[in-house]
Amino acid sequence: MKSLNSAATEQDKNMDKLRTDLELLGLSPQEALIVALLLCNKKSMTIKEISEEVEIPNYLLYNILNLLTQKGFIEQISLKPKSYISDQML
């Protein structure tokens, strides 16, 4: 049975690979990080949760999330609080 640390390390490797692939598709490093986070997460995330994970201030995050929504990589699923999910998870 894998330890929690090795499971976390495996998830980090998967997320890094996903981020690299998303950047190859033309996403900025910040956009790729957010999409990878939402794809690897098993639930929707609020702006606050995303901001804490990726360490991007809310005022910058709003613009990035709007761009990703327009590009079709993520979807806003609730208004209060605003929550986002990767389209691939639906």
Side-chain angles (χ1 to χ4, degrees), residues 10-56:
E10 185 69 26
Q11 185 176 6
D12 289 343
K13 286 180 187 176
N14 291 338
M15 191 161 166
D16 287 342
K17 170 80 170 96
L18 183 55
R19 286 176 58 190
T20 301
D21 291 346
L22 289 164
E23 287 180 32
L24 290 173
L25 290 173
L27 294 183
S28 72
Q30 289 179 326
E31 290 172 331
L33 175 60
I34 293 166
V35 173
L37 173 66
L38 290 170
L39 282 170
C40 291
N41 201 13
K42 302 293 186 210
K43 62 180 181 65
S44 65
M45 296 181 75
T46 64
I47 291 175
K48 181 181 178 188
E49 291 170 329
I50 296 168
S51 179
E52 289 171 356
E53 285 287 326
V54 298
E55 298 178 350
I56 297 172

